[in-house]
Amino acid sequence: MTKRKRLSTSAAEKPLTAMPIPLPKSKIILPPPTKRSQAKQRTARQPEPAPIATNPNDNINILDGSQALRASPDSDGSTGIMKLTRTDLGAGNSVKRESEDVPSLVNGGESDSPLSELSDLESPSKKPASSRATAASREVKLEDGTTPSAAKNKSKQPKKEDKKEPQFLDPEADGEEEADEEEIQAALSRPPPVNSDYLPLPWKGRLGYACLCTYLRFSNPPVFSSRTCRIASILENRHPLKDPSQPPHSTKNRPDRDEPADIARGQAYVESIGLANAKDVVKMIRWNDRYGIKFMRLSSEMFPFASHEVYGYKLAPFASEVLAEAGKVAAALGHRLTTHPGQFTQLGSPRKEVIKNALRDLDYHAEMLSLLKMPPQQDHDAVMILHMGGVFGDKAATLDRFRENYKTLPQGVKNRLVLENDDVSWSVHDLLPVCEELNIPMVLDYHHHNIIFDADKLREGTKDIMALYERIAATWKRKGITQKMHYSEPTPAAITGRQRRKHSPRVATLPPCAPNMDLMIEAKDKEQAVFELMRTFKLPGFGTFNDMIPHVRKDDNKPVRAPKNKTPKKASKKAIKAEDELQMAEEAIEEALEDVTPELIPEDEVGMGGPEGRVYWPPGMEEWLRPVKRVVNKKDPSDGAKDKSTPAKKRKAAAEAVEAGLKAEDDVAGEVATARVNGTLAKRAKAAPKKAPASKKKKAVKKEEDTLSTPSVSNDDSEALANLSAGERLPQKPVKAAAARKSSRSKKISYAESDND
């Protein structure tokens, strides 16, 4: 027998949780887990984790949860409302990343989540690009040289002879869904919807949105409750920092993988992300209350991997205090909080593994809502919305499996579980009898109903479904829970059923529900869709907000720049004119303003919209949330390498330009003066009387005199000088005349007096 490879770390190190370390096919070189109670684990030695930066602008390992970015978690895929690029997050971003969508974890395909192992729901063939290569390079190596994710993906690859399961496209993905001509013709030939003309006005209910506030997400620092990470980051942060005395840095001070790993340290890392998410819930609730919003869905990704089979963990006691604070604020402001587990949490699946994953996920959501510690009625209203899921070839058999698995649920989960009709398989008529049988409230989703409905019982639209309102409401009253409904609309260009599943950024009207209904608006623009309804129908809260100033935020504390040590500008002798002095004064004022520290906004008011409530951005103007993009013109390779322009070089170039301008002015002034002198002499020469030339010698002398004459020499003097000999003439300095043409035959004339005189 071959010797077993020794572990790279001490076997005495104890894990924080009782979940075993993953062993896909070969052993991971990590400490072996030991089974102990939760209380004993908490008393075990835990290393002090280094504080991490939970701002995704500063920490490249902090990602946006995929479900929170979407209008609704009902469908597969990772594309959401926000095109979050690292270059769009402001000038203060210190993390450089390629210009791509910020990667988010998807419950499918290559996801780290175990809830993606379904047989009838697959990820779309087109997956968004992500930087998984970087994260994969940091994973712990197996003995065979592979990584855990690679081994997991390899084990999941279907055999070639296996029949491919039906694929459901992502309705939230950008771009248009492909549809064949037959599908389009069938969609165009369907009867038009029949909608009710009833409007629930005056409105007395609560409007809400799901998971993410777009305005707060782009504040500085960002406020949102769906930060997440990758499993590779958890494994990496089990190692201590290279320099524990310094704060962590994405490049300069990373975990040292040569040092022994400690599971407790990695667990503290992922728990710190969850705590940051839970703390931001308090700010989001206060923000909603300021603008008349009393209803919000909490993100299922608030605590990353809490329901994972291997890396999962309980929320108590480390998150009890922060969740209780959020529940206290929600109770004081009359806020309703709910959750919506993802589409892979199904209780009707024929696979036992999927059922186990779903049970863990429901336990996690129930614990999170229970730790809010809200008053009894608000606690009852904190429900978990669930879909029936796949059909698996037989609706009746799937419903039987659901009944059996529902009976095994803990009472705390049963008290919160609610079923919702979907836009793939299960209509209202399919689920309502089961809800009445098992005493489960039912959520009516109008958007889903208009896509999946029983055509032999009612028509598409909001009118015929009103006949079932009493039966649906009765499922809520029997449990003493306040009823809620979901409303959204398809995109205007949608034709086929698959295309109509994609949610519109905003909605145009209210459904014909009761005026005191709790209505969840599932739209891509999140809280802005609620504002749009408030403005359209003058609902309570419409006067609390105003339009944003494009690309401008007055409710953020911008980072203060350190004073610049600038040397005073040296002015040249010719640059002391009034224009240059004015320019230097303006530069001095600008430098002085840069050094002034701006007035700090109180922490409670950061990101709250300011006294004018400028938090609304019009449809399609999502770019208003971001700072103005700086357009950088790329250098032409043909121009060759050029020196980078610096402030010192710019000042030098400006001074040289000023000197060149002054020199040009002097040259022009000299040319003008010379031209005037030459013009005066020419006029005098023309006015003088003409005489017959005495000889060729006299003509030559006369020509030289005309060429080199000065304003002080008169015509009479010129005649006298012409009769003098060359030696009797006085020396005279010639005048520079740039415009005059000098004769090649001219000679120097001397006006010096003779000694004989």
Side-chain angles (χ1 to χ4, degrees):
M1 292 179 61
T2 58
K3 267 191 174 182
R4 295 179 62 184
K5 193 170 183 178
R6 289 189 178 183
L7 298 177
S8 62
T9 58
S10 173
E13 292 174 336
K14 307 297 183 183
L16 180 64
T17 62
M19 307 308 299
I21 299 300
L23 299 173
K25 283 193 174 180
S26 58
K27 295 181 180 178
I28 298 180
I29 305 175
L30 283 175
T34 58
K35 296 183 179 180
R36 296 194 302 169
S37 64
Q38 186 73 17
K40 289 183 179 180
Q41 292 173 24
R42 291 296 175 184
T43 58
R45 178 187 62 84
Q46 295 187 17
E48 288 294 331
I52 67 168
T54 57
N55 187 341
N57 302 351
D58 302 326
N59 191 346
I60 197 172
N61 294 320
I62 302 299
L63 311 176
D64 279 77
S66 60
Q67 291 187 15
L69 293 174
R70 301 165 59 77
S72 172
D74 301 331
S75 54
D76 186 20
S78 62
T79 306
I81 74 147
M82 314 296 288
K83 281 292 184 182
L84 295 180
T85 58
R86 295 287 174 181
T87 55
D88 290 341
L89 297 179
N93 177 24
S94 60
V95 178
K96 293 184 179 180
R97 180 174 288 196
E98 295 179 1
S99 180
E100 61 177 7
D101 291 354
V102 174
S104 54
L105 298 180
V106 189
N107 290 334
E110 299 179 357
S111 171
D112 293 328
S113 172
L115 303 180
S116 59
E117 299 174 357
L118 298 179
S119 59
D120 70 333
L121 289 176
E122 295 184 356
S123 298
S125 56
K126 295 181 179 180
K127 297 177 182 177
S130 63
S131 58
R132 293 192 60 86
T134 303
S137 63
R138 302 174 190 159
E139 290 192 21
V140 179
K141 298 290 184 179
L142 304 179
E143 290 185 356
D144 57 358
T146 60
T147 59
S149 61
K152 180 179 177 182
N153 295 334
K154 185 177 180 181
S155 62
K156 286 186 177 182
Q157 289 180 356
K159 297 179 181 179
K160 293 183 179 179
E161 60 270 14
D162 291 346
K163 183 178 179 181
K164 189 175 181 180
E165 298 290 345
Q167 185 182 58
F168 293 89
L169 299 179
D170 175 16
E172 297 301 321
D174 289 342
E176 297 181 359
E177 294 283 354
E178 296 182 0
D180 54 24
E181 185 177 354
E182 183 179 352
E183 186 180 6
I184 294 176
Q185 292 299 328
L188 292 175
S189 62
R190 78 176 193 274
V194 181
N195 295 314
S196 172
D197 58 356
Y198 171 75
L199 283 175
L201 299 176
W203 179 257
K204 300 178 182 179
R206 292 180 287 193
L207 295 177
Y209 63 93
C211 305
L212 181 84
C213 176
T214 64
Y215 185 86
L216 288 177
R217 175 61 185 84
F218 283 94
S219 63
N220 185 24
V223 177
F224 65 114
S225 61
S226 54
R227 300 171 183 85
T228 186
C229 64
R230 299 189 184 277
I231 290 178
S233 299
I234 301 176
L235 296 176
E236 183 183 28
N237 281 274
R238 290 178 175 179
H239 301 273
L241 294 175
K242 293 182 178 179
D243 187 357
S245 63
Q246 298 296 325
H249 192 273
S250 58
T251 56
K252 299 179 181 179
N253 194 19
R254 297 186 59 83
D256 189 357
R257 287 180 288 179
D258 295 334
E259 295 294 328
D262 194 313
I263 295 178
R265 188 182 289 108
Q267 185 63 31
Y269 168 81
V270 70
E271 288 177 358
S272 62
I273 298 176
L275 291 175
N277 288 333
K279 289 177 181 177
D280 279 355
V281 171
V282 176
K283 185 68 170 282
M284 295 172 69
I285 294 174
R286 295 189 185 279
W287 192 94
N288 291 341
D289 183 73
R290 175 171 292 192
Y291 298 106
I293 300 175
K294 300 285 188 177
F295 186 16
M296 184 177 67
R297 177 185 298 165
L298 297 178
S299 173
S300 297
E301 298 154 317
M302 187 182 302
F303 295 93
F305 303 105
S307 62
H308 197 278
E309 181 181 8
V310 177
Y311 303 97
Y313 50 92
K314 291 293 184 180
L315 306 184
F318 82 93
S320 299
E321 184 178 351
V322 65
L323 286 175
E325 178 64 22
K328 181 180 178 181
V329 175
L333 300 178
H335 215 81
R336 184 175 186 178
L337 301 175
T338 62
T339 60
H340 194 329
Q343 74 273 24
F344 296 108
T345 303
Q346 302 185 15
L347 294 177
S349 173
R351 298 181 58 186
K352 293 182 179 181
E353 186 178 1
V354 174
I355 299 302
K356 291 180 180 178
N357 295 337
L359 293 178
R360 287 197 313 273
D361 199 42
L362 292 176
D363 286 338
Y364 153 65
H365 283 84
E367 183 187 13
M368 179 173 64
L369 294 175
S370 299
L371 290 177
L372 294 172
K373 303 294 183 183
M374 292 186 291
Q377 186 58 49
Q378 284 182 286
D379 185 56
H380 290 327
D381 294 343
V383 296
M384 304 183 300
I385 297 93
L386 189 68
H387 288 285
M388 183 63 69
V391 176
F392 307 100
D394 190 345
K395 279 190 175 182
T398 301
L399 289 175
D400 290 339
R401 288 190 296 269
F402 178 84
R403 293 184 181 96
E404 294 176 2
N405 294 323
Y406 179 78
K407 294 177 182 178
T408 64
L409 294 177
Q411 190 60 40
V413 175
K414 287 183 178 180
N415 293 340
R416 301 185 186 278
L417 194 64
V418 174
L419 282 180
E420 176 191 0
N421 60 307
D422 60 53
D423 54 1
V424 178
S425 304
W426 299 93
S427 67
V428 175
H429 284 91
D430 293 329
L431 298 182
L432 187 55
V434 181
C435 291
E436 293 172 337
E437 174 189 348
L438 300 178
N439 193 20
I440 302 175
M442 179 181 170
V443 172
L444 172 62
D445 189 302
Y446 289 93
H447 180 210
H448 296 168
H449 164 69
N450 286 333
I451 299 174
I452 299 296
F453 59 93
D454 293 343
D456 57 338
K457 298 179 181 178
L458 44 74
R459 297 168 293 181
E460 177 186 346
T462 60
K463 186 173 183 179
D464 291 359
I465 193 63
M466 296 176 69
L468 298 176
Y469 276 7
E470 290 187 7
R471 291 179 59 187
I472 295 173
T475 61
W476 295 86
K477 292 178 181 178
R478 282 185 297 187
K479 277 197 169 183
I481 303 176
T482 305
Q483 185 180 1
K484 60 169 291 191
M485 291 183 175
H486 295 175
Y487 184 72
S488 54
E489 296 173 356
T491 55
I495 299 176
T496 66
R498 288 188 300 171
Q499 293 172 344
R500 289 161 59 206
R501 291 174 62 195
K502 187 175 181 180
H503 292 72
S504 177
R506 304 190 186 187
V507 295
T509 187
L510 289 167
C513 61
N516 61 344
M517 182 64 63
D518 285 352
L519 189 62
M520 176 63 64
I521 305 300
E522 295 184 326
K524 284 190 172 184
D525 287 352
K526 305 292 183 177
E527 83 288 350
Q528 301 297 322
V530 177
F531 288 160
E532 202 70 38
L533 285 175
M534 288 180 176
R535 281 196 167 184
T536 302
F537 297 102
K538 302 296 185 291
L539 305 182
F542 81 95
T544 59
F545 57 89
N546 292 292
D547 289 9
M548 289 181 60
I549 301 175
H551 313 289
V552 175
R553 294 282 188 110
K554 294 186 177 181
D555 57 355
D556 288 346
N557 286 324
K558 301 296 186 299
V560 181
R561 297 179 181 177
K564 298 180 180 179
N565 296 326
K566 294 184 177 180
T567 56
K569 180 179 178 181
K570 293 182 179 180
S572 60
K573 295 181 180 180
K574 294 184 179 180
I576 310 300
K577 291 189 175 181
E579 296 180 359
D580 299 321
E581 292 178 355
L582 178 61
Q583 181 179 359
M584 294 175 66
E586 291 177 352
E587 291 179 358
I589 294 173
E590 291 179 0
E591 293 177 5
L593 291 177
E594 288 181 0
D595 296 338
V596 174
T597 303
E599 183 179 355
L600 290 179
I601 300 173
E603 185 64 26
D604 294 341
E605 294 298 321
V606 173
M608 299 299 288
E612 297 177 342
R614 293 186 173 274
V615 296
Y616 171 84
W617 46 276
M621 294 293 104
E622 182 184 326
E623 62 184 22
W624 285 14
L625 295 167
R626 305 174 176 88
V628 179
K629 290 186 178 181
R630 296 179 59 186
V631 180
V632 179
N633 297 325
K634 295 183 179 180
K635 290 184 178 181
D636 189 357
S638 60
D639 295 343
K642 295 183 179 179
D643 295 337
K644 294 183 179 180
S645 179
T646 61
K649 291 183 178 181
K650 289 181 180 179
R651 290 193 295 268
K652 184 178 179 181
E656 292 177 353
V658 171
E659 292 181 2
L662 295 175
K663 185 177 181 181
E665 291 180 1
D666 293 343
D667 293 343
V668 171
E671 292 179 0
V672 171
T674 304
R676 289 178 178 176
V677 170
N678 293 338
T680 303
L681 295 177
K683 289 180 180 179
R684 290 180 180 179
K686 188 175 181 180
K690 295 182 180 180
K691 296 183 179 180
S695 63
K696 292 183 179 181
K697 185 176 181 180
K698 290 183 179 181
K699 289 181 180 180
V701 173
K702 180 67 175 179
K703 191 170 185 180
E704 291 177 2
E705 184 178 319
D706 293 339
T707 304
L708 302 175
S709 59
T710 61
S712 61
V713 180
S714 62
N715 292 335
D716 297 336
D717 294 337
S718 298
E719 294 178 2
L721 289 172
N723 298 324
L724 294 175
S725 62
E728 296 175 344
R729 295 170 186 164
L730 296 174
Q732 185 173 350
K733 186 177 181 180
V735 178
K736 295 182 180 180
R741 183 178 178 184
K742 189 175 181 180
S743 174
S744 60
R745 295 178 295 174
S746 62
K747 299 180 180 179
K748 292 184 179 180
I749 302 174
S750 176
Y751 294 93
E753 295 182 358
S754 175
D755 295 336
N756 298 330
D757 298 338

